[in-house]
């Protein structure tokens, strides 16, 4: 079992490196086309960029499956590999967002700073929908991660979970700015409803509220658990010291310290 999990770790390390190269290539092509747009020329690499992003997206989905196998198997590198793949996913969302808003809309860099609500509707429908879908995918993934998170059975594991969650909580807090930027387009909700009749995005008014509340609750409980386990660990250490002292004590009548021990017990 450990050998199989270690092979998955090696596979993750290799394939995450390939995925990073794919994203680097997409970003390089994107910046090249953005410079063309700024110069008033048509982009040349849009199809290649979209193909690279789709490949990276498919790779990341498979990487998340491998990461889940590691975590289910309680491999010590499971959390580390999760963070590595998670950073790749965040970068994919960032590049795709820039691609949708700059290249697909045909807007030069200066136009990207214009509030979404002041830009033509036809430029925004597809870009904002794809952007919102990426944001919601981020929300859903982190809500799932929070729901499956463990607490730890001793001080080292509780401290590890607490440190890991503080990093995640910081990311969720920062994520709110991305949501607010996406919500700046007043037509976004209508567009999403038209594109997805199933109502998947019906609750986009505060899409990060659920993971944010879950994260705050988990952070509060982890801090409370850490305080309790720290205090309990100190008490257990004290008990162990006293137990060792009693076990090693010479209880024979020849021990000159026996009277002092009796006084202690009294």
């Amino acid at each position: 079992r450990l050998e199989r999990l270690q092979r998955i770790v090696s596979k993750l390390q290799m394939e995450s490196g390939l995925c990073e190269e794919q994203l680097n290539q997409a970003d390089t092509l994107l910046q090249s086309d953005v410079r063309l747009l700024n110069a008033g020329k048509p982009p040349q690499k849009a199809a290649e960029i979209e193909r690279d992003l789709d490949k990276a997206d498919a790779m990341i989905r498979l990487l998340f499956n491998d990461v889940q196998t590691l975590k289910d198997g309680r491999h010590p590198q499971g959390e580390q590999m999760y963070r590595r793949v998670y950073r790749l996913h965040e970068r994919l969302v960032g590049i795709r967002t820039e691609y949708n808003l700059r290249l697909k809309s045909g807007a030069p860099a200066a136009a990207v700073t214009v509030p979404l609500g002041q830009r033509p509707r036809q430029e925004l429908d597809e870009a904002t929908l794809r952007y919102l879908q990426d944001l919601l995918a981020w929300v859903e993934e982190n809500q799932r991660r929070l729901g499956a998170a463990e607490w730890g059975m001793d001080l080292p594991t509780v401290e590890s979970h607490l440190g890991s969650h503080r990093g995640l909580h910081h990311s969720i807090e920062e994520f709110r700015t991305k949501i607010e930027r996406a919500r700046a387009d007043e037509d976004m909700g209508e567009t999403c409803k038209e594109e997805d009749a199933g109502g998947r995005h019906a609750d986009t008014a505060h899409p990060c509220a659920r993971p944010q509340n879950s994260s705050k609750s988990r952070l509060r409980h982890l801090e409370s658990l850490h305080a309790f386990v720290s205090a309990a660990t100190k008490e257990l250490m004290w008990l162990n010291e006293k137990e060792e002292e009693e076990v090693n004590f010479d209880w024979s009548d020849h021990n000159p310290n026996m009277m002092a021990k009796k006084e202690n017990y009294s």
Side-chain angles (χ1 to χ4, degrees), residues 81-148:
M81 290 294 103
Y82 179 91
R83 288 195 294 268
R84 185 168 182 171
V85 176
Y86 177 76
R87 284 193 295 268
L88 290 174
H89 181 258
E90 280 200 317
R91 188 162 181 229
L92 169 68
V93 172
I95 295 173
R96 177 166 278 158
T97 299
E98 187 175 7
Y99 168 72
N100 286 336
L101 296 181
R102 288 193 177 191
L103 225 59
K104 269 199 166 183
S105 67
V112 177
T113 60
V114 176
L116 294 175
Q118 298 175 18
R119 289 161 58 189
R121 172 70 174 268
Q122 62 270 22
E123 292 183 1
L124 292 166
D125 283 353
E126 188 175 352
T128 53
L129 176 63
R130 186 65 176 268
Y131 181 39
L132 183 60
Q133 286 173 337
D134 286 337
L135 297 183
L136 289 173
W138 189 96
V139 168
E140 289 168 4
E141 168 60 24
N142 280 281
Q143 184 62 37
R144 185 201 62 76
R145 184 185 178 192
L146 287 168

Side-chain angles (χ1 to χ4, degrees), residues 71 109 145 159 169 184-185 230:
K71 296 182 78 174
R145 184 185 178 192
E159 286 178 340
H169 185 70
D185 179 14
S230 296

Side-chain angles (χ1 to χ4, degrees), residues 214-260:
S214 298
S215 180
K216 284 180 180 177
S217 175
R218 175 169 167 79
L219 181 61
R220 186 172 65 253
H221 291 145
L222 274 171
E223 288 173 342
S224 174
L225 178 62
H226 180 260
F228 169 78
V229 174
S230 296
T233 300
K234 290 179 181 177
E235 297 296 335
L236 288 170
M237 290 172 65
W238 183 88
L239 285 172
N240 286 338
E241 290 173 5
K242 294 299 178 185
E243 181 182 22
E244 189 172 349
E245 178 184 321
E246 297 302 305
V247 169
N248 294 327
F249 187 77
D250 179 7
W251 291 95
S252 71
D253 292 335
H254 304 292
N255 186 348
N257 294 324
M258 186 59 74
M259 188 55 65

